[in-house]
Amino acid sequence: MASWDLLITDARIATMRRDVAGFGIIENGAIGIRDGVIDWVGDATEATQQPARATLSLGGQWITPALIDCHTHLVFGGDRAAEFEQRLAGASYEDIARAGGGILSTVRATRAASADELFEAALPRLDALIASGVTTIEIKSGYGLDVDTEIRMLEVARRLGDASGVTVVTTLLAAHAVPPEFSGNADGWIDVACNELIPAAAERGLADAVDAYCESIAFDRQQVARVFDAAREHGLPVRLHADQLSDGDGAALAAGYSALSADHLEYSSNAGIKAMADAGTAAVLLPGAFLTLHETQQPPVAACREHGVPMAIATDCNPGTSPMTSVREAMALACRLFRMTPEECLAGTTREAALALRLDDLGMISAGMRADIAAWDIEHPRDLSYWLGRNPLTHLFKSGRSVSLTAA
Ligand code: NIG
Ligand code: FE
């Protein structure tokens, strides 16, 4: 019998298995890990038969799948704290964007930053996310809006993954805003995105997916469709910032392209959510942006439940609408703002987030899954959404190896 590299024992486990209700709890559980993979999980009394090179006894602490942040804009230059103050004084996000601020102000700062500067600026944000229990993160481009800077952002995202050891999934957000050079000519930028940027990113293996922002202050359905057609031509799956500020029928548009996910969704119609269910498109709900923009339109949680659309939750970490660097904060907000249950919130940052990224071997504790595991000093997994502030994370493993919690 081959020995395990690590046996974690004396743990209570929230497996988050899809086929087991109520967090999928195993009391007095143990996990045997070999070659970075969960080899065995079950009752601790049955685990002692097998030799293990190392044992970690958790004294009854809880284990969950390590958390996954499936929607971030982690790489950017500068910040937008001054705009935050303007909005508190009454200016709207759309007003600021139309006046050349908003996303375009971050574009100016990002273009002016070197790759090293972008990397150094992103690292503490990544450390903070890791300290909140994250071992997998999606990072979008979208603040370059020229070919060179978009490519630079994606390279920095890949480098962050290499340097930190966490899994980084990259998304080319070519159609995020109309770049200043194309002011009044959004289609001109879509031409460049389709004919130069998507091919360049695809050829260099820098993008795992393509995203777009379908909104009155960004791109319309036809323009998004052109971007998605180009992505498809280059074998890249798509996701969409959809119906965040108005109902642009983005959910149905995303579903029409079998998008991996449609994100935000506050204004999506019931028909849009039904289309997502039929297409297997996950919903990604972003309470940090909802809170920061003082949004009052609730995302369609009831429709997602009714139609069986998986709901992921993410930070949307970005300098404009969601300066947030803790996935647990996103969970806590989703409960309070969207009335999602703590179980839905933990599923939303584990198995449903894995689904939104199509990472089949992550997001659940079961044999055959990668050993991405978090241990917590809590009384029950619902506490992860209940408490604000204190960080109860005690151990974090990526593929069975301990991750250092520098920002804990
Ligand atoms: O997910 N909605 C568009 N994109 C971002 C915001 C980007 C920004 O304001 O810098 C979002 O909310
Ligand atoms: Fe976003």
Side-chain angles (χ1 to χ4, degrees):
M1 197 189 298
S3 65
W4 287 320
D5 300 324
L6 175 64
L7 171 66
I8 303 176
T9 189
D10 198 8
R12 290 182 279 175
I13 305 175
T15 64
M16 302 314 290
R17 279 173 51 161
R18 200 173 287 284
D19 56 335
V20 186
F23 295 99
I25 288 172
I26 302 173
E27 297 283 352
N28 190 28
I31 300 175
I33 297 167
R34 187 187 305 123
D35 296 334
V37 172
I38 297 174
D39 184 57
W40 179 89
V41 53
D43 193 278
T45 55
E46 294 166 27
T48 48
Q49 319 301 330
Q50 185 135 337
R53 269 190 273 280
T55 301
L56 173 67
S57 180
L58 282 180
Q61 286 185 358
W62 279 90
I63 277 181
T64 69
L67 306 183
I68 297 171
D69 196 354
C70 68
H71 179 143
T72 85
H73 308 249
L74 196 79
V75 174
F76 56 83
D79 68 52
R80 306 235 292 279
E83 280 181 15
F84 173 63
E85 290 178 319
Q86 282 173 28
R87 285 204 310 273
L88 291 174
S92 78
Y93 183 69
E94 289 98 321
D95 290 344
I96 291 170
R98 286 197 192 94
I103 292 171
L104 289 186
S105 98
T106 301
V107 168
R108 287 189 285 278
T110 303
R111 287 180 177 180
S114 67
D116 284 349
E117 286 166 342
L118 291 174
F119 178 84
E120 293 298 330
L123 209 48
R125 298 191 279 269
L126 179 58
D127 279 347
L129 279 167
I130 292 169
S132 78
V134 166
T135 60
T136 301
I137 172 175
E138 185 257 16
I139 302 178
K140 301 174 196 297
S141 67
Y143 292 123
L145 304 185
D146 61 35
V147 174
D148 286 354
T149 316
E150 286 290 305
I151 294 290
R152 185 156 81 244
M153 289 185 72
L154 294 172
E155 285 171 343
V156 168
R158 287 274 193 247
R159 204 173 130 198
L160 286 164
D162 294 342
S164 65
V166 304
T167 299
V168 169
V169 174
T170 58
T171 302
L172 173 62
L173 177 48
H176 196 195
V178 180
E181 299 77 14
F182 289 86
S183 182
N185 178 23
D187 282 306
W189 169 242
I190 296 295
D191 288 342
V192 174
C194 295
N195 301 331
E196 295 177 44
L197 184 48
I198 291 174
E203 188 183 318
R204 296 164 67 170
L206 285 172
D208 300 315
V210 169
D211 194 347
Y213 186 22
C214 188
E215 192 58 65
S216 54
I217 54 167
F219 296 93
D220 64 27
R221 297 170 56 81
Q222 286 73 26
Q223 289 158 342
V224 171
R226 288 179 58 207
V227 170
F228 283 3
D229 287 334
R232 192 178 263 175
E233 229 171 85
H234 288 86
L236 294 173
V238 298
R239 51 181 83 255
L240 186 65
H241 283 73
D243 309 327
Q244 180 188 14
L245 306 171
S246 59
D247 182 6
D249 213 11
L253 174 62
Y257 280 85
S258 302
L260 306 179
S261 68
D263 303 37
H264 289 289
L265 299 176
E266 277 83 346
Y267 288 84
S268 295
S269 65
N270 194 52
I273 300 303
K274 171 81 171 56
M276 286 172 60
D278 294 342
T281 297
V284 179
L285 304 181
L286 304 166
F290 181 96
L291 177 72
T292 303
L293 294 181
H294 306 280
E295 185 55 75
T296 52
Q297 175 75 29
Q298 287 279 325
V301 169
C304 287
R305 285 180 187 139
E306 183 191 334
H307 297 297
V309 173
M311 290 181 284
I313 293 166
T315 62
D316 196 13
C317 176
N318 78 74
T321 64
S322 193
M324 174 189 274
T325 55
S326 162
V327 171
R328 280 199 44 249
E329 262 170 33
M331 293 162 64
L333 288 185
C335 283
R336 287 155 175 83
L337 297 172
F338 303 160
R339 292 183 185 267
M340 293 175 70
T341 67
E343 190 185 328
E344 286 173 326
C345 290
L346 186 55
T349 56
T350 55
R351 65 164 188 260
E352 310 303 15
L355 182 75
L357 297 177
R358 296 301 189 274
L359 296 172
D360 299 341
D361 59 350
L362 287 174
M364 289 182 265
I365 305 282
S366 67
M369 304 295 275
R370 216 182 309 170
D372 283 30
I373 292 167
W376 312 91
D377 181 14
I378 51 176
E379 294 303 316
H380 190 276
R382 65 180 164 238
D383 293 358
L384 296 175
S385 298
Y386 170 58
W387 285 104
L388 299 168
R390 183 180 81 94
N391 184 0
L393 184 68
T394 59
H395 300 273
L396 188 63
F397 295 94
K398 174 79 204 171
S399 297
R401 302 172 90 125
S402 189
V403 178
S404 69
L405 302 172
T406 50

